[in-house]
Amino acid sequence: MIAFYWLLLAILLTSYWLALNHAKRNSVGLTPLLGWLVGVGYFLIVPLVVLTLHGGFKQPAVYDVNGSWDEINLANRIFFRPYLMIWLSLMLTCLVALLSDSNHSQDGVVVTGVIVRRRLERAIVVTIMLSVADWLATIWLQGGLSQFLVSHWYTRNVDLTDRFGGAFIFYTHLSLANQMVFTGAAALYASAGLKERNMRWGFTGLIWLFLVIEMVMSGNRIFLALYLLAFVTSCWLYRRRKIMAALLLVSPAVILIFSLWASIRSNLSQISDSAATQALESDIAEGAVTRVMDVTEGSAAMLLMHMMNDFGTKFAYLHGGTYARLLTAFPPGLYPNRPKNFASVAAELYEPGETTSLGSTALGEAYGNFGFAGILVMPLFTWGATRCRRFFSRAAEPHGLMSAVSFVMFLSFMVFPFDQNVTTGILALLIILALKLEKDPDLPAQGFPRPLTLGEDSV
């Protein structure tokens, strides 16, 4: 049986590599399709590779996960059907990406140049200032710095929502949207620097520092992870082999830090105790596999396989309920009986009584709603990403920042619930338009070097 899993995996990896390279050849910088494929690879295919090569995985006891979904054992035949459905959905996703039309004209999309750099620096500074104001407001609402430090990173927003209702929900949407704009702008800034071989490390260092502080303040590592994925993608696009080699060398340390952060973020006042617990209770023999699964949100892929066995038998299908939730997003608070998003539904089913949410990838939400037909949702997302790419490339005015934000949005579809991700993405694009972050009236129309497009010499 394991040999058959390896055969399926080999076919999948070959197909994915062909699809990814096809997207690369037909992408002008960071595009929605490229973001979607990178997200699929990192958050689903990599955990699937680990599960296949390792024969399964059991979550360490220190994670205190409900025993109903804490283990995948591919020697058990009950996991063959979920594995095959995941494989089929991924193969269809790769096929749609391969059949996407080539973008030979390149349609004048601006990806670099002095004007873009100046606009991006302005956009990054504006979004940083908005985030700092958000941090100060959160600390004040929590009752001061000491209360903020001892509060749980996840439940602090739950408590504030109970206090302020729909107004705070809208505020959190805006905060996430601002963070998405920052991440997209930072990713595009890095991409332009890597293309031009002029990274401007001083300003880039400011971006990195902000991302680390944001991770500490919010407790959420996802936006730092999304930025790093965009950075690596740009290195691959522009063949920056030395930087990729350096990233490979430091990757074990980055993986370790990301893994440890998950265990210490719940109470920043007890960092040393939490870190010690994690180090002592982790299984040394399984350490590398555990950390790779943790840093790629591999638990979501594990939960996905269990859902494919449970929905339709143990649990009823949701029949599109969590997708329809998008229709009641605005105005916030107007729909008191609004259905919960899929991450909250999954937590109620698999971690009852806990105040948390559980990711299960985009395929998990699709299957929980539509059953076997849900395997078509990821190919549909792939088609949608190709349409977005064509829109940005053929627009009357170049939308480099919007394209980069869409790269981040499609990348995060594998992590966030559908309605939350779409709502955040729409608000992010509205922030760009409202603050005119793609336009800088202080810059003269002439007098700067002509921006380059893909295919021109950037060295």
Side-chain angles (χ1 to χ4, degrees):
M1 178 65 75
I2 193 63
F4 187 62
Y5 282 124
W6 288 354
L7 175 62
L8 292 178
L9 181 64
I11 296 172
L12 173 61
L13 292 178
T14 301
S15 302
Y16 176 72
W17 182 246
L18 291 173
L20 194 62
N21 273 280
H22 179 77
K24 174 187 176 183
R25 287 192 301 270
N26 298 291
S27 293
V28 182
L30 300 176
T31 63
L33 178 60
L34 201 56
W36 168 245
L37 290 177
V38 170
V40 168
Y42 186 79
F43 292 111
L44 185 52
I45 293 181
V46 172
L48 197 65
V49 169
V50 173
L51 290 172
T52 305
L53 299 182
H54 199 250
F57 181 74
K58 182 175 175 61
Q59 303 229 34
V62 68
Y63 291 174
D64 194 24
V65 174
N66 190 308
S68 65
W69 67 280
D70 67 334
E71 183 176 8
I72 297 292
N73 181 5
L74 294 183
N76 191 329
R77 291 182 180 273
I78 67 170
F79 292 110
F80 178 71
R81 176 177 170 273
Y83 191 102
L84 193 60
M85 285 192 292
I86 294 169
W87 181 87
L88 181 58
S89 184
L90 288 170
M91 289 296 295
L92 291 173
T93 297
C94 294
L95 179 62
V96 174
L98 282 167
L99 294 177
S100 64
D101 56 329
S102 299
N103 188 21
H104 295 300
S105 65
Q106 297 164 12
D107 294 315
V109 175
V110 179
V111 296
T112 186
V114 176
I115 294 179
V116 170
R117 282 290 192 95
R118 292 274 296 275
R119 288 174 182 167
L120 285 175
E121 288 173 356
R122 171 178 171 268
I124 290 168
V125 170
V126 168
T127 50
I128 285 177
M129 292 173 64
L130 290 174
S131 291
V132 171
D134 175 38
W135 299 341
L136 294 176
T138 302
I139 292 173
W140 176 69
L141 290 173
Q142 283 291 318
L145 183 60
S146 59
Q147 288 296 112
F148 174 83
L149 291 175
V150 299
S151 64
H152 192 284
W153 73 279
Y154 185 83
T155 58
R156 69 172 67 115
N157 276 355
V158 176
D159 295 339
L160 291 173
T161 299
D162 291 339
R163 287 169 58 187
F164 300 104
F168 185 77
I169 293 173
F170 184 66
Y171 174 79
T172 58
H173 285 329
L174 284 176
S175 178
L176 281 174
N178 178 69
Q179 193 60 35
M180 185 172 283
V181 174
F182 167 81
T183 307
L188 186 56
Y189 189 83
S191 185
L194 290 166
K195 178 177 173 60
E196 296 175 341
R197 286 167 167 73
N198 177 18
M199 276 298 295
R200 301 185 184 180
W201 291 106
F203 196 81
T204 301
L206 173 65
I207 291 172
W208 292 356
L209 176 63
F210 171 79
L211 283 166
V212 172
I213 296 175
E214 191 279 333
M215 183 178 73
V216 173
M217 295 299 296
S218 69
N220 202 335
R221 58 190 179 176
I222 187 59
F223 284 106
L224 176 57
L226 296 177
Y227 171 82
L228 290 175
L229 287 172
F231 190 93
V232 172
T233 301
S234 295
C235 287
W236 176 60
L237 280 173
Y238 303 123
R239 298 183 176 89
R240 301 305 303 272
R241 295 183 180 89
K242 290 183 179 179
I243 296 179
M244 291 185 71
L247 291 173
L248 184 63
L249 288 175
V250 302
S251 60
V254 174
I255 290 173
L256 177 61
I257 291 171
F258 265 61
S259 181
L260 290 176
W261 177 249
S263 66
I264 65 178
R265 60 184 172 177
S266 61
N267 190 336
L268 296 181
S269 65
Q270 298 179 358
I271 286 180
S272 59
D273 293 341
S274 300
T277 300
Q278 169 75 8
L280 289 173
E281 296 190 27
S282 292
D283 187 341
I284 296 175
E286 296 281 314
V289 174
T290 299
R291 292 188 177 104
V292 170
M293 288 292 286
D294 182 68
V295 80
T296 59
E297 303 288 345
S299 60
M302 296 176 64
L303 183 58
L304 165 63
M305 298 186 78
H306 282 280
M307 284 180 169
M308 287 181 160
N309 282 328
D310 295 339
F311 273 89
T313 54
K314 187 177 179 181
F315 307 126
Y317 294 121
L318 303 177
H319 303 293
T322 61
Y323 292 94
R325 175 182 157 88
L326 180 63
L327 302 176
T328 60
F330 298 105
L334 183 62
Y335 305 93
N337 297 320
R338 186 185 182 203
K340 296 182 178 180
N341 66 34
F342 193 75
S344 298
V345 172
E348 289 183 350
L349 296 176
Y350 289 93
E351 291 291 336
E354 297 291 332
T355 305
T356 186
S357 59
L358 293 177
S360 56
T361 77
L363 184 52
E365 182 169 7
Y367 190 86
N369 278 275
F370 308 117
F372 182 75
I375 67 173
L376 300 176
V377 169
M378 291 213 311
L380 283 173
F381 283 176
T382 310
W383 177 84
T386 64
R387 299 303 94 184
C388 286
R389 185 199 69 185
R390 291 185 64 185
F391 170 79
F392 289 123
S393 66
R394 296 181 178 181
E397 295 182 4
H399 293 293
L401 179 54
M402 286 187 180
S403 182
V405 170
S406 296
F407 172 94
V408 175
M409 185 183 78
F410 273 93
L411 182 59
S412 61
F413 261 121
M414 296 301 292
V415 183
F416 295 143
F418 174 81
D419 71 293
Q420 178 183 335
N421 200 55
V422 174
T423 301
T424 303
I426 292 172
L427 288 175
L429 298 182
L430 290 177
I431 287 174
I432 292 172
L433 293 174
L435 299 180
K436 299 181 179 179
L437 297 182
E438 284 200 308
K439 298 179 180 179
D440 193 338
D442 296 329
L443 291 175
Q446 304 295 331
F448 292 104
R450 180 176 62 87
L452 302 175
T453 56
L454 192 67
E456 296 183 37
D457 187 4
S458 61
V459 181

